[in-house]
Amino acid sequence: MTTAPLFQRVALIGFGLIGGSIARAARAKGLASEIVTTARSPKTRARVAELGIVDRVVETNVEAVKDADLVILCIPVGACGPVAKEIAPYLKPGAIISDVGSVKGAVVRDMAPHLPAGVHFVPAHPVAGTEHSGPDSGFPELFINRWCILTPPEGTDAAAVDKLRAFWTAIGAKVETMTPDHHDLVLAITSHLPHLIAYTIVGTADELGEVTSSEVMKFSAGGFRDFTRIAASDPTMWRDVFLNNKDAVLEMLGTFNEDLSKLTRAMRRGDGEALFDHFTRTRAIRRGIVEIGQDSAAPDFGRLSAATPKKP
Ligand code: NAP
């Protein structure tokens, strides 16, 4: 179903998994009269032009934001500050400027000082993704039934927040607002720490002796395979996440280490009851996630359905 355009011109800076998915979804829903995009490298820009998903591909960030009513930075967290500085003088008065970064405190810290009065800054984080990246990796259903968290600074124009909320809702997301710090704490445990653990386990397996490590690949069971999928996520994106959400991740890591010690102790002491109770509690959390439609109970650990989420 298409909707009346919410925006005349939408500019997407960066066209990878997230930018490409926004473009595909917004186009499918008719949310913008014109979608303009740019990417850092000529190679990506050429590929985007070839894909024919957007109305115009331009060479520079400054050209992209010209007369745009909505500008979304779809680039790594660490690049948001410098790009905000570059485009700030060229933003249309009254425009909404947003991003999709997985960390919010640092993005607000780095972008806000550059933005002129008269544009509306509404940071956002769609909590949806895959381990793939680049211009071919996006798909229009990525955000369906997934959360998009908005973290508008205090005093942001309510109409601008509502308009961005309407945009994300139209491409299938459920929208919630919270403070950047709260976002960073929640995501530290639900996303950032799990990635850190996956990167660690897969790295550890890789450092085993050559014979053993080839056996790890050959006999990789579901648990290890799922870790390898997460550990295949984009290195630039995740480097920036850990550099920019350091405090919250370190806090969660402290709690995690304490809990790991408790389980280690239970195992060493042969305390089956403690292990059983813990695993029963965690099983209930998994069931809860499936019940609220945030994953599927399909036996492949929901991988297929995560790529094409269905409404509950
Ligand atoms: P991606 O597929 O790797 O695409 C990144 C895009 O940013 C590319 O167009 C790239 O251009 C451009 N870019 C990279 N470095 C840049 C720089 N220094 N300056 C300007 N442009 C730069 O990444 P993605 O997965 O879409 O992630 C983009 C953002 O979404 C990140 O902030 C990430 O935290 C957030 N996010 C990701 C996920 C996920 O699961 N992947 C989920 C939610 C939010 P070239 O192709 O020309 O290099």
Side-chain angles (χ1 to χ4, degrees), residues 14-19 39-41 44 74-77 79 83 100-102 125-126 128-130 133-134 234 237 241:
F15 199 98
L17 173 69
I18 302 296
R40 182 180 49 169
S41 66
T44 300
C74 306
I75 57 180
V77 166
V83 170
V100 294
S102 306
H125 175 207
T130 73
S133 49
D234 187 67
M237 168 186 161
V241 167

Side-chain angles (χ1 to χ4, degrees), residues 77 80-81 99 101-113 121 123-125 149-153 178-185 187 192 240-241 243-248:
V77 166
C80 287
D99 74 305
S102 306
V103 177
K104 296 273 61 93
V107 164
V108 172
R109 180 199 65 204
D110 295 348
M111 287 182 67
F121 181 33
H125 175 207
I149 300 173
L150 307 184
T151 65
M178 57 179 76
T179 64
D181 287 353
H182 188 66
H183 165 279
D184 289 353
L185 202 61
L187 270 291
H192 306 169
D240 283 10
V241 167
L243 291 179
N244 287 283
N245 198 22
K246 190 166 59 180
D247 293 346

Side-chain angles (χ1 to χ4, degrees), residues 190-200 230-231 233 238 242:
T190 59
S191 171
H192 306 169
L193 186 59
H195 275 80
L196 192 67
I197 293 167
Y199 281 123
T200 311
I230 297 170
S233 300
W238 284 97
F242 292 121

Side-chain angles (χ1 to χ4, degrees), residues 10 35 47 67 235 303:
V10 171
I35 302 177
R47 179 61 188 148
D67 290 326
R303 244 169 289 147

Side-chain angles (χ1 to χ4, degrees), residues 5-25:
L6 271 170
F7 295 96
Q8 283 303 308
R9 182 175 293 173
V10 171
L12 301 171
I13 297 188
F15 199 98
L17 173 69
I18 302 296
S21 295
I22 294 174
R24 288 167 170 95

